[in-house]
Amino acid sequence: MTELGRQLLRKGFGRYYTSGPGPRWSEADRRNVEAFQRAQGWRGGAADGYPGPETWRRLFLNLPTPFEQGRPPS
């Protein structure tokens, strides 16, 4: 879980961490994942804050997210 959180921070999606990511899944992780998913244009159940295979793939790709391209997350 820590590496997931670190990658969220690298991508600009760590606003809900109060002391950084840790080894246990938390509500802050879920909310940061949800923000990342929404920035991908996902809505409803696709942006539930739980990282499925596509979320993991996109988080760990070297492609810039809309946030990294200078556009605020949706």
Side-chain angles (χ1 to χ4, degrees), residues 7 11 56-64:
Q7 191 65 1
K11 298 277 186 180
W56 281 94
R57 187 183 76 74
R58 290 187 186 205
L59 264 175
F60 287 91
L61 274 178
N62 289 327
L63 299 175

Side-chain angles (χ1 to χ4, degrees), residues 1-14 17 20-26 28-34 36-37 49-52 55-60:
M1 287 290 87
T2 303
E3 191 55 35
L4 170 76
R6 287 182 183 145
Q7 191 65 1
L8 286 163
L9 286 169
R10 284 184 203 108
K11 298 277 186 180
F13 296 91
Y17 291 126
R24 294 180 161 230
W25 178 254
S26 70
D29 293 307
R30 192 199 66 72
R31 291 179 72 190
N32 288 321
V33 169
E34 180 182 0
F36 174 79
Q37 290 168 333
Y50 296 98
T55 298
W56 281 94
R57 187 183 76 74
R58 290 187 186 205
L59 264 175
F60 287 91

